[in-house]
PDB file of all heavy atoms in Angstrom:
ATOM      1  N   ARG A 410      25.983  24.419  72.854  1.00 95.00           N
ATOM      2  CA  ARG A 410      26.933  24.787  71.829  1.00 95.00           C
ATOM      3  C   ARG A 410      27.484  23.567  71.121  1.00 95.00           C
ATOM      4  O   ARG A 410      27.634  23.555  69.896  1.00 95.00           O
ATOM      5  CB  ARG A 410      28.085  25.608  72.432  1.00 95.00           C
ATOM      6  CG  ARG A 410      27.675  26.920  72.984  1.00 95.00           C
ATOM      7  CD  ARG A 410      28.761  27.581  73.858  1.00 95.00           C
ATOM      8  NE  ARG A 410      29.040  26.746  74.997  1.00 95.00           N
ATOM      9  CZ  ARG A 410      30.033  26.959  75.883  1.00 95.00           C
ATOM     10  NH1 ARG A 410      30.810  28.005  75.692  1.00 95.00           N
ATOM     11  NH2 ARG A 410      30.207  26.165  76.922  1.00 95.00           N
ATOM     12  N   LYS A 411      27.762  22.535  71.863  1.00 96.00           N
ATOM     13  CA  LYS A 411      28.225  21.276  71.292  1.00 96.00           C
ATOM     14  C   LYS A 411      27.128  20.634  70.447  1.00 96.00           C
ATOM     15  O   LYS A 411      27.372  20.173  69.310  1.00 96.00           O
ATOM     16  CB  LYS A 411      28.689  20.334  72.416  1.00 96.00           C
ATOM     17  CG  LYS A 411      29.153  18.951  71.911  1.00 96.00           C
ATOM     18  CD  LYS A 411      28.138  17.903  72.138  1.00 96.00           C
ATOM     19  CE  LYS A 411      28.645  16.547  71.783  1.00 96.00           C
ATOM     20  NZ  LYS A 411      27.602  15.503  71.808  1.00 96.00           N
ATOM     21  N   LEU A 412      25.898  20.533  70.964  1.00 96.00           N
ATOM     22  CA  LEU A 412      24.811  19.938  70.247  1.00 96.00           C
ATOM     23  C   LEU A 412      24.512  20.700  68.944  1.00 96.00           C
ATOM     24  O   LEU A 412      24.196  20.083  67.919  1.00 96.00           O
ATOM     25  CB  LEU A 412      23.551  19.915  71.116  1.00 96.00           C
ATOM     26  CG  LEU A 412      23.656  19.005  72.341  1.00 96.00           C
ATOM     27  CD1 LEU A 412      22.339  19.091  73.177  1.00 96.00           C
ATOM     28  CD2 LEU A 412      23.862  17.543  71.927  1.00 96.00           C
ATOM     29  N   PHE A 413      24.582  22.034  68.977  1.00 96.00           N
ATOM     30  CA  PHE A 413      24.355  22.804  67.739  1.00 96.00           C
ATOM     31  C   PHE A 413      25.397  22.477  66.675  1.00 96.00           C
ATOM     32  O   PHE A 413      25.025  22.225  65.527  1.00 96.00           O
ATOM     33  CB  PHE A 413      24.381  24.293  68.092  1.00 96.00           C
ATOM     34  CG  PHE A 413      24.309  25.148  66.861  1.00 96.00           C
ATOM     35  CD1 PHE A 413      23.113  25.388  66.213  1.00 96.00           C
ATOM     36  CD2 PHE A 413      25.487  25.763  66.352  1.00 96.00           C
ATOM     37  CE1 PHE A 413      23.060  26.206  65.052  1.00 96.00           C
ATOM     38  CE2 PHE A 413      25.430  26.568  65.196  1.00 96.00           C
ATOM     39  CZ  PHE A 413      24.205  26.756  64.589  1.00 96.00           C
ATOM     40  N   ARG A 414      26.658  22.484  67.064  1.00 96.00           N
ATOM     41  CA  ARG A 414      27.759  22.189  66.143  1.00 96.00           C
ATOM     42  C   ARG A 414      27.610  20.761  65.562  1.00 96.00           C
ATOM     43  O   ARG A 414      27.801  20.542  64.431  1.00 96.00           O
ATOM     44  CB  ARG A 414      29.118  22.316  66.816  1.00 96.00           C
ATOM     45  CG  ARG A 414      29.453  23.720  67.234  1.00 96.00           C
ATOM     46  CD  ARG A 414      29.757  24.607  66.034  1.00 96.00           C
ATOM     47  NE  ARG A 414      30.176  25.911  66.446  1.00 96.00           N
ATOM     48  CZ  ARG A 414      30.558  26.858  65.533  1.00 96.00           C
ATOM     49  NH1 ARG A 414      30.426  26.639  64.261  1.00 96.00           N
ATOM     50  NH2 ARG A 414      30.908  28.060  65.985  1.00 96.00           N
ATOM     51  N   GLN A 415      27.228  19.824  66.444  1.00 95.00           N
ATOM     52  CA  GLN A 415      27.099  18.430  66.009  1.00 95.00           C
ATOM     53  C   GLN A 415      25.920  18.253  65.032  1.00 95.00           C
ATOM     54  O   GLN A 415      26.042  17.577  64.002  1.00 95.00           O
ATOM     55  CB  GLN A 415      26.920  17.523  67.230  1.00 95.00           C
ATOM     56  CG  GLN A 415      26.887  16.068  66.924  1.00 95.00           C
ATOM     57  CD  GLN A 415      26.830  15.288  68.255  1.00 95.00           C
ATOM     58  OE1 GLN A 415      27.115  15.761  69.294  1.00 95.00           O
ATOM     59  NE2 GLN A 415      26.508  14.004  68.103  1.00 95.00           N
ATOM     60  N   LYS A 416      24.834  18.892  65.352  1.00 95.00           N
ATOM     61  CA  LYS A 416      23.645  18.692  64.520  1.00 95.00           C
ATOM     62  C   LYS A 416      23.698  19.450  63.194  1.00 95.00           C
ATOM     63  O   LYS A 416      22.992  19.044  62.242  1.00 95.00           O
ATOM     64  CB  LYS A 416      22.374  19.138  65.315  1.00 95.00           C
ATOM     65  CG  LYS A 416      22.016  18.191  66.466  1.00 95.00           C
ATOM     66  CD  LYS A 416      20.836  18.654  67.246  1.00 95.00           C
ATOM     67  CE  LYS A 416      20.494  17.668  68.388  1.00 95.00           C
ATOM     68  NZ  LYS A 416      19.255  18.099  69.152  1.00 95.00           N
ATOM     69  N   THR A 417      24.431  20.497  63.142  1.00 96.00           N
ATOM     70  CA  THR A 417      24.505  21.244  61.901  1.00 96.00           C
ATOM     71  C   THR A 417      25.708  20.869  61.027  1.00 96.00           C
ATOM     72  O   THR A 417      25.940  21.409  59.948  1.00 96.00           O
ATOM     73  CB  THR A 417      24.631  22.751  62.198  1.00 96.00           C
ATOM     74  OG1 THR A 417      25.755  23.024  63.036  1.00 96.00           O
ATOM     75  CG2 THR A 417      23.331  23.263  62.875  1.00 96.00           C
ATOM     76  N   ALA A 418      26.538  19.939  61.511  1.00 96.00           N
ATOM     77  CA  ALA A 418      27.683  19.445  60.736  1.00 96.00           C
ATOM     78  C   ALA A 418      27.200  18.719  59.485  1.00 96.00           C
ATOM     79  O   ALA A 418      26.234  17.982  59.478  1.00 96.00           O
ATOM     80  CB  ALA A 418      28.528  18.538  61.583  1.00 96.00           C
ATOM     81  N   ARG A 419      27.945  18.927  58.398  1.00 95.00           N
ATOM     82  CA  ARG A 419      27.601  18.261  57.133  1.00 95.00           C
ATOM     83  C   ARG A 419      28.315  16.883  57.011  1.00 95.00           C
ATOM     84  O   ARG A 419      27.926  16.074  56.261  1.00 95.00           O
ATOM     85  CB  ARG A 419      27.989  19.181  55.986  1.00 95.00           C
ATOM     86  CG  ARG A 419      27.182  20.493  55.923  1.00 95.00           C
ATOM     87  CD  ARG A 419      27.657  21.342  54.793  1.00 95.00           C
ATOM     88  NE  ARG A 419      27.292  20.749  53.489  1.00 95.00           N
ATOM     89  CZ  ARG A 419      27.822  21.104  52.321  1.00 95.00           C
ATOM     90  NH1 ARG A 419      28.808  21.989  52.313  1.00 95.00           N
ATOM     91  NH2 ARG A 419      27.447  20.554  51.209  1.00 95.00           N
ATOM     92  N   SER A 420      29.355  16.758  57.785  1.00 95.00           N
ATOM     93  CA  SER A 420      30.092  15.484  57.887  1.00 95.00           C
ATOM     94  C   SER A 420      30.369  15.204  59.352  1.00 95.00           C
ATOM     95  O   SER A 420      30.777  16.168  60.092  1.00 95.00           O
ATOM     96  CB  SER A 420      31.427  15.507  57.118  1.00 95.00           C
ATOM     97  OG  SER A 420      31.203  15.761  55.704  1.00 95.00           O
ATOM     98  N   TYR A 421      30.225  13.972  59.788  1.00 96.00           N
ATOM     99  CA  TYR A 421      30.430  13.610  61.195  1.00 96.00           C
ATOM    100  C   TYR A 421      31.259  12.320  61.265  1.00 96.00           C
ATOM    101  O   TYR A 421      30.861  11.293  60.695  1.00 96.00           O
ATOM    102  CB  TYR A 421      29.121  13.439  61.917  1.00 96.00           C
ATOM    103  CG  TYR A 421      29.258  13.112  63.442  1.00 96.00           C
ATOM    104  CD1 TYR A 421      29.316  14.128  64.324  1.00 96.00           C
ATOM    105  CD2 TYR A 421      29.272  11.818  63.856  1.00 96.00           C
ATOM    106  CE1 TYR A 421      29.425  13.848  65.690  1.00 96.00           C
ATOM    107  CE2 TYR A 421      29.366  11.516  65.205  1.00 96.00           C
ATOM    108  CZ  TYR A 421      29.448  12.522  66.098  1.00 96.00           C
ATOM    109  OH  TYR A 421      29.567  12.255  67.448  1.00 96.00           O
ATOM    110  N   LEU A 422      32.431  12.394  61.887  1.00 96.00           N
ATOM    111  CA  LEU A 422      33.330  11.241  61.990  1.00 96.00           C
ATOM    112  C   LEU A 422      33.564  10.848  63.444  1.00 96.00           C
ATOM    113  O   LEU A 422      33.763  11.687  64.277  1.00 96.00           O
ATOM    114  CB  LEU A 422      34.685  11.564  61.353  1.00 96.00           C
ATOM    115  CG  LEU A 422      34.649  11.954  59.859  1.00 96.00           C
ATOM    116  CD1 LEU A 422      36.127  12.205  59.397  1.00 96.00           C
ATOM    117  CD2 LEU A 422      33.980  10.953  59.012  1.00 96.00           C
ATOM    118  N   THR A 423      33.537   9.550  63.668  1.00 96.00           N
ATOM    119  CA  THR A 423      33.856   8.969  64.981  1.00 96.00           C
ATOM    120  C   THR A 423      35.104   8.107  64.833  1.00 96.00           C
ATOM    121  O   THR A 423      35.695   8.023  63.789  1.00 96.00           O
ATOM    122  CB  THR A 423      32.669   8.081  65.467  1.00 96.00           C
ATOM    123  OG1 THR A 423      32.525   6.978  64.527  1.00 96.00           O
ATOM    124  CG2 THR A 423      31.412   8.871  65.512  1.00 96.00           C
ATOM    125  N   ASN A 424      35.519   7.490  65.984  1.00 94.00           N
ATOM    126  CA  ASN A 424      36.647   6.598  65.931  1.00 94.00           C
ATOM    127  C   ASN A 424      36.519   5.551  64.848  1.00 94.00           C
ATOM    128  O   ASN A 424      37.415   5.249  64.088  1.00 94.00           O
ATOM    129  CB  ASN A 424      36.818   5.839  67.262  1.00 94.00           C
ATOM    130  CG  ASN A 424      37.444   6.783  68.329  1.00 94.00           C
ATOM    131  OD1 ASN A 424      38.198   7.620  68.030  1.00 94.00           O
ATOM    132  ND2 ASN A 424      37.073   6.462  69.586  1.00 94.00           N
ATOM    133  N   GLU A 425      35.357   4.941  64.756  1.00 95.00           N
ATOM    134  CA  GLU A 425      35.084   3.882  63.782  1.00 95.00           C
ATOM    135  C   GLU A 425      35.260   4.381  62.332  1.00 95.00           C
ATOM    136  O   GLU A 425      35.807   3.658  61.459  1.00 95.00           O
ATOM    137  CB  GLU A 425      33.688   3.271  63.987  1.00 95.00           C
ATOM    138  CG  GLU A 425      33.491   2.524  65.267  1.00 95.00           C
ATOM    139  CD  GLU A 425      33.430   3.384  66.516  1.00 95.00           C
ATOM    140  OE1 GLU A 425      33.127   4.655  66.351  1.00 95.00           O
ATOM    141  OE2 GLU A 425      33.720   2.870  67.616  1.00 95.00           O
ATOM    142  N   ASP A 426      34.804   5.547  62.062  1.00 96.00           N
ATOM    143  CA  ASP A 426      34.934   6.128  60.695  1.00 96.00           C
ATOM    144  C   ASP A 426      36.406   6.361  60.400  1.00 96.00           C
ATOM    145  O   ASP A 426      36.841   6.079  59.266  1.00 96.00           O
ATOM    146  CB  ASP A 426      34.148   7.462  60.591  1.00 96.00           C
ATOM    147  CG  ASP A 426      32.661   7.266  60.809  1.00 96.00           C
ATOM    148  OD1 ASP A 426      32.055   6.371  60.223  1.00 96.00           O
ATOM    149  OD2 ASP A 426      32.096   8.037  61.648  1.00 96.00           O
ATOM    150  N   LEU A 427      37.129   6.887  61.338  1.00 95.00           N
ATOM    151  CA  LEU A 427      38.548   7.194  61.118  1.00 95.00           C
ATOM    152  C   LEU A 427      39.317   5.869  60.870  1.00 95.00           C
ATOM    153  O   LEU A 427      40.152   5.788  59.986  1.00 95.00           O
ATOM    154  CB  LEU A 427      39.141   7.945  62.288  1.00 95.00           C
ATOM    155  CG  LEU A 427      38.523   9.330  62.606  1.00 95.00           C
ATOM    156  CD1 LEU A 427      39.075   9.868  63.887  1.00 95.00           C
ATOM    157  CD2 LEU A 427      38.840  10.246  61.442  1.00 95.00           C
ATOM    158  N   ILE A 428      39.027   4.882  61.665  1.00 94.00           N
ATOM    159  CA  ILE A 428      39.748   3.598  61.532  1.00 94.00           C
ATOM    160  C   ILE A 428      39.405   2.947  60.156  1.00 94.00           C
ATOM    161  O   ILE A 428      40.284   2.363  59.515  1.00 94.00           O
ATOM    162  CB  ILE A 428      39.368   2.633  62.682  1.00 94.00           C
ATOM    163  CG1 ILE A 428      39.960   3.205  63.999  1.00 94.00           C
ATOM    164  CG2 ILE A 428      39.856   1.220  62.425  1.00 94.00           C
ATOM    165  CD1 ILE A 428      39.441   2.468  65.227  1.00 94.00           C
ATOM    166  N   ALA A 429      38.153   3.085  59.757  1.00 95.00           N
ATOM    167  CA  ALA A 429      37.753   2.463  58.516  1.00 95.00           C
ATOM    168  C   ALA A 429      38.381   3.080  57.297  1.00 95.00           C
ATOM    169  O   ALA A 429      38.498   2.403  56.235  1.00 95.00           O
ATOM    170  CB  ALA A 429      36.226   2.531  58.400  1.00 95.00           C
ATOM    171  N   HIS A 430      38.859   4.303  57.411  1.00 96.00           N
ATOM    172  CA  HIS A 430      39.465   5.011  56.250  1.00 96.00           C
ATOM    173  C   HIS A 430      40.945   5.302  56.408  1.00 96.00           C
ATOM    174  O   HIS A 430      41.431   6.244  55.872  1.00 96.00           O
ATOM    175  CB  HIS A 430      38.662   6.283  55.981  1.00 96.00           C
ATOM    176  CG  HIS A 430      37.279   6.050  55.518  1.00 96.00           C
ATOM    177  ND1 HIS A 430      36.177   5.961  56.403  1.00 96.00           N
ATOM    178  CD2 HIS A 430      36.726   5.831  54.280  1.00 96.00           C
ATOM    179  CE1 HIS A 430      35.062   5.741  55.699  1.00 96.00           C
ATOM    180  NE2 HIS A 430      35.411   5.618  54.399  1.00 96.00           N
ATOM    181  N   ARG A 431      41.552   4.477  57.212  1.00 93.00           N
ATOM    182  CA  ARG A 431      43.041   4.657  57.392  1.00 93.00           C
ATOM    183  C   ARG A 431      43.825   4.033  56.289  1.00 93.00           C
ATOM    184  O   ARG A 431      43.405   3.009  55.736  1.00 93.00           O
ATOM    185  CB  ARG A 431      43.444   3.997  58.736  1.00 93.00           C
ATOM    186  CG  ARG A 431      43.254   4.863  59.960  1.00 93.00           C
ATOM    187  CD  ARG A 431      43.674   4.071  61.181  1.00 93.00           C
ATOM    188  NE  ARG A 431      43.750   4.890  62.381  1.00 93.00           N
ATOM    189  CZ  ARG A 431      43.888   4.388  63.621  1.00 93.00           C
ATOM    190  NH1 ARG A 431      43.972   3.076  63.810  1.00 93.00           N
ATOM    191  NH2 ARG A 431      43.943   5.177  64.630  1.00 93.00           N
ATOM    192  N   ASP A 432      44.968   4.612  56.004  1.00 95.00           N
ATOM    193  CA  ASP A 432      45.931   4.012  55.108  1.00 95.00           C
ATOM    194  C   ASP A 432      46.755   3.014  55.946  1.00 95.00           C
ATOM    195  O   ASP A 432      46.677   3.048  57.175  1.00 95.00           O
ATOM    196  CB  ASP A 432      46.804   5.065  54.473  1.00 95.00           C
ATOM    197  CG  ASP A 432      46.095   5.805  53.334  1.00 95.00           C
ATOM    198  OD1 ASP A 432      45.151   5.169  52.787  1.00 95.00           O
ATOM    199  OD2 ASP A 432      46.507   6.948  53.020  1.00 95.00           O
ATOM    200  N   PRO A 433      47.615   2.239  55.302  1.00 92.00           N
ATOM    201  CA  PRO A 433      48.504   1.332  56.051  1.00 92.00           C
ATOM    202  C   PRO A 433      49.375   2.004  57.107  1.00 92.00           C
ATOM    203  O   PRO A 433      49.796   1.386  58.102  1.00 92.00           O
ATOM    204  CB  PRO A 433      49.316   0.664  54.979  1.00 92.00           C
ATOM    205  CG  PRO A 433      48.441   0.676  53.766  1.00 92.00           C
ATOM    206  CD  PRO A 433      47.695   1.979  53.862  1.00 92.00           C
ATOM    207  N   ASP A 434      49.705   3.282  56.906  1.00 89.00           N
ATOM    208  CA  ASP A 434      50.599   3.966  57.861  1.00 89.00           C
ATOM    209  C   ASP A 434      49.832   4.480  59.079  1.00 89.00           C
ATOM    210  O   ASP A 434      50.392   5.106  59.988  1.00 89.00           O
ATOM    211  CB  ASP A 434      51.301   5.180  57.184  1.00 89.00           C
ATOM    212  CG  ASP A 434      50.369   6.237  56.711  1.00 89.00           C
ATOM    213  OD1 ASP A 434      49.122   6.081  56.820  1.00 89.00           O
ATOM    214  OD2 ASP A 434      50.858   7.258  56.149  1.00 89.00           O
TER     215      ASP A 434
END
């Protein structure tokens, strides 16, 4: 169930992606 959700996602974010798109707050 996890693999299906992950593979069919149109956008996938990890820690690194979230950190890279943070605002100063």
Side-chain angles (χ1 to χ4, degrees):
R410 295 167 298 175
K411 178 259 186 187
L412 294 177
F413 172 78
R414 294 290 186 180
Q415 186 175 344
K416 290 180 179 179
T417 57
R419 298 179 66 199
S420 301
Y421 182 87
L422 300 183
T423 63
N424 282 332
E425 291 73 20
D426 298 311
L427 297 173
I428 292 170
H430 293 92
R431 276 178 170 170
D432 283 337
D434 63 0

